[in-house]
């Protein structure tokens, strides 16, 4: 098992990519702390994991709120005594509109859930990691941080910001035993966020959802979507002893679109 006796706090773990990461990390021996806003989804994932012999705990939180970030970190420590791994995964896409139509309040919300929460949770987790001399932070960014797609300015800015945060935190933590990396997934079409985005894009483009998806996937070298499980396996690599010499990196798990 690659994460035996590790404690992992995984945000946005009620469904989608976060759920897949929680399942895989639990299977690899980690105690997993789940968090999102929807209690029903968290309870369901926690049950699946405990039914499989894992050790889950969860708390609801809206991570756009500073107090909620503090609550999640405090509750993880209360339940498991420590945080070895922090995965900043929670997020939503936000409005699918051009810059000149983007509502400022929505822009702030998208930045808050992706970038500000990743910053706050890292800030709260790092002192313990530094004191112990070990820890891993993984930021789930996006292909949107590296490519140029219309109608998602806050999302792309937040995801690109997470790559800057990844590098700076990696620089600060590198000689204190802490590694910080990012994953840039391409289209993980099975998730709620991806399905909702696809439907809106298809409508705006005046094509069917199937046509919109086929056009997008055709631009990937592999010509297919990624699965949440494929992202989880990259996350496991970056959060385990398999990648001890890697820090400050952003790894594209996108079927071949971005090449830097
Ligand atoms: N799917 C893709 O194609 C794709 C590609 C690249 C990157 N990503 C990134 O991967 C991550 C996971 O996305 P996904 O596709 O798995 O989407 P998803 O299925 O919609 O899951 C998003 C998770 O984040 C939680 N969340 C959203 N807003 C939150 C808030 N304010 N506070 C706390 N939790 C919140 C959601 O739960 P609640 O709604 O219950 O709070 C849910 O658990 C996101 O950061 C996304 O940007 C996804």
């Amino acid at each position: 098992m690659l994460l035996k006796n590790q404690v992992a706090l995984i945000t946005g773990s009620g469904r989608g990519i976060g759920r897949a990461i929680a399942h895989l990390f639990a299977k690899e021996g980690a105690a997993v702390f789940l968090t999102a806003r929807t209690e029903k989804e968290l309870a369901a994932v926690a049950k699946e994991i405990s039914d499989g012999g894992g050790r889950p705990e969860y708390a609801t939180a809206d991570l756009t709120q500073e107090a909620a970030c503090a609550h999640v970190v405090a509750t993880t420590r209360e339940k498991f005594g420590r945080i070895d791994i922090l995965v900043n995964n929670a997020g939503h896409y936000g409005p699918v509109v051009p810059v000149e139509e983007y509502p400022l309040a929505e822009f702030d919300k998208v930045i808050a859930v992706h970038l500000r929460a990743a910053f706050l949770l890292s800030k709260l987790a790092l002192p313990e990691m530094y004191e112990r001399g070990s820890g891993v932070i993984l930021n789930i960014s996006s292909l949107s941080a590296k490519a140029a797609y219309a109608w998602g300015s806050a999302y792309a800015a937040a995801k690109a910001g997470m790559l800057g945060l990844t590098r700076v935190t990696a620089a600060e933590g590198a000689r204190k035993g802490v590694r910080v990396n990012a994953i840039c997934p391409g289209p993980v079409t099975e998730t709620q966020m991806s399905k909702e985005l696809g439907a809106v894009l298809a409508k705006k483009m005046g094509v069917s959802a199937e046509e919109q998806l086929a056009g997008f996937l055709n631009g990937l070298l592999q010509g297919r979507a990624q699965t949440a499980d494929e992202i989880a396996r990259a996350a496991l690599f970056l959060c385990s002893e398999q990648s001890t010499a890697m820090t400050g990196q952003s790894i594209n798990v996108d079927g071949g679109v971005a090449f830097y």
Side-chain angles (χ1 to χ4, degrees):
M1 289 204 278
L2 291 175
L3 300 178
K4 206 161 178 241
N5 299 325
Q6 300 284 293
V7 173
L9 164 54
I10 303 156
T11 71
S13 35
R15 57 177 188 262
I17 293 169
R19 172 178 172 272
I21 293 173
H23 269 287
L24 185 59
F25 282 21
K27 205 172 128 208
E28 290 294 334
V32 290
F33 194 90
L34 318 171
T35 187
R37 291 168 301 180
T38 310
E39 177 150 28
K40 203 172 141 205
E41 293 183 345
L42 293 171
V45 178
K47 185 172 182 321
E48 292 160 8
I49 289 172
S50 55
D51 285 353
R55 287 184 297 151
E57 294 282 353
Y58 68 85
T60 55
D62 178 351
L63 296 176
T64 61
Q65 305 300 310
E66 184 179 2
C69 292
H71 173 70
V72 162
V73 168
T75 313
T76 310
R77 290 192 177 124
E78 190 187 305
K79 299 287 182 189
F80 292 129
R82 54 196 276 155
I83 298 172
D84 299 293
I85 299 166
L86 166 64
V87 181
N88 290 308
N89 166 77
H92 77 285
Y93 194 83
V96 188
V97 295
V99 170
E100 68 275 16
E101 290 171 24
Y102 211 106
L104 182 59
E106 296 297 331
F107 187 93
D108 287 343
K109 263 194 235 167
V110 172
I111 297 289
V113 68
H114 295 280
L115 181 57
R116 191 166 171 270
F119 163 75
L120 278 169
L121 293 168
S122 301
K123 182 176 167 155
L124 291 161
L126 279 166
E128 174 204 325
M129 292 178 173
Y130 288 160
E131 199 175 316
R132 193 171 52 236
S134 71
V136 179
I137 297 176
L138 177 64
N139 294 319
I140 305 299
S141 177
S142 170
L143 172 59
S144 293
K146 297 184 172 179
Y149 301 116
W151 308 325
S153 51
Y155 184 80
K159 292 307 201 185
M162 287 175 88
L163 299 187
L165 178 68
T166 298
R167 289 189 286 264
V168 170
T169 319
E172 293 172 1
R175 303 202 182 190
K176 298 179 185 172
V178 174
R179 297 187 301 111
V180 188
N181 290 295
I183 290 177
C184 294
V188 180
T189 51
E190 74 202 65
T191 75
Q192 182 175 312
M193 191 187 83
S194 199
K195 282 183 188 152
E196 286 172 2
L197 175 61
V200 177
L201 287 173
K203 199 167 167 208
K204 282 176 89 88
M205 293 160 75
V207 297
S208 71
E210 292 72 26
E211 284 169 320
Q212 187 277 329
L213 182 59
F216 189 54
L217 296 183
N218 199 33
L220 281 62
L221 288 188
Q222 292 182 331
R224 66 162 178 88
Q226 291 77 65
T227 66
D229 190 53
E230 285 176 314
I231 309 304
R233 279 185 270 140
L236 174 62
F237 172 69
L238 289 172
C239 290
S240 73
E241 296 284 307
Q242 301 290 301
S243 60
T244 43
M246 293 179 68
T247 196
Q249 305 302 313
S250 66
I251 304 302
N252 306 323
V253 186
D254 63 6
V257 192
F259 297 98
Y260 71 96

